[in-house]
Amino acid sequence: MNKRSYDRLSEKDRKVLDSLSGEALSLRFGKAWGSAIANARQKVAADPEQTITTLDDAAYDDMRDATRGVVDDWVASDSGGIDRQALVDELQQEVKQQQPDLH
């Protein structure tokens, strides 16, 4: 929704919209996505015709190193008005916390 349309809403309607979008929407989407991934993993694991291959640490590091330039270039850009390095650091921390669930 553009800002002009949003500003035309009543305060009550803006509060309702705000409670259903932004972080709240992201959290709901994240939970739904996590559930869909878990269901897909279970389905694949239960199918004897499928083989699950997990990257070892060396392959993961190689993949991360191969794409590091993309991240570095994005962080160096200043468009968008956000602290890109802080965002990358936060996402990397989240990956480290979730890593046991990724194997």
Side-chain angles (χ1 to χ4, degrees):
M1 169 178 283
N2 69 38
K3 182 168 176 28
R4 192 169 130 201
S5 295
Y6 178 83
D7 289 343
R8 286 188 204 154
L9 295 173
S10 70
E11 184 176 341
K12 179 182 174 186
D13 289 342
R14 283 193 303 265
K15 284 182 180 181
V16 169
L17 184 62
D18 291 346
S19 74
L20 299 172
S21 61
E23 185 177 0
L25 179 61
S26 293
L27 289 171
R28 283 197 323 269
F29 180 76
K31 287 179 184 177
W33 185 255
S35 178
I37 293 294
N39 290 338
R41 282 184 181 153
Q42 288 174 351
K43 186 175 182 180
V44 170
D47 184 345
E49 303 226 355
Q50 300 296 323
T51 301
I52 297 174
T53 304
T54 303
L55 294 178
D56 61 22
D57 290 341
Y60 177 82
D61 290 343
D62 288 346
M63 184 178 64
R64 189 184 62 221
D65 291 344
T67 60
R68 188 177 313 268
V70 174
V71 174
D72 291 345
D73 290 347
W74 183 78
V75 167
S77 170
D78 63 356
S79 65
I82 61 172
D83 184 344
R84 291 169 179 238
Q85 186 62 58
L87 179 59
V88 167
D89 293 344
E90 188 173 328
L91 289 171
Q92 288 174 340
Q93 185 61 35
E94 183 67 24
V95 167
K96 285 180 186 176
Q97 290 174 354
Q98 299 298 324
Q99 235 169 354
D101 293 336
L102 298 177
H103 294 287

